[in-house]
Amino acid sequence: MRVSGCGCAKGRQLAGMLLVIAGVLIVFLCLPMQFFLIALGVVLTAAGLLLLR
C-alpha cells in the first residue's frame, strides 16, 4: 500500500483546478474585450491542465 507524499499532490491538484477555472472564466467573461485577456485565460487554463496531469 502506497501513501502519497506530504500532500503535495493534493495541493498541486487544487492549484491546477483553480487555474483551469480562472482561465475559463477569464476567456468567457472577456470575449468582447481585449485579445490579451483572452490569451491570458487560455494560458491559465493550459497551465492548470498541465498541473492536473
Side-chain angles (χ1 to χ4, degrees):
M1 185 168 153
R2 188 173 177 184
V3 177
S4 63
C6 59
C8 296
K10 193 168 194 169
R12 185 176 169 188
Q13 185 178 14
L14 178 63
M17 287 174 24
L18 288 176
L19 282 173
V20 169
I21 291 169
V24 170
L25 283 177
I26 286 174
V27 168
F28 285 109
L29 291 177
C30 298
L31 277 177
M33 293 184 184
Q34 299 172 349
F35 173 76
F36 174 74
L37 290 175
I38 296 172
L40 177 64
V42 171
V43 169
L44 286 175
T45 303
L49 288 174
L50 284 176
L51 282 177
L52 290 174
R53 291 182 88 199

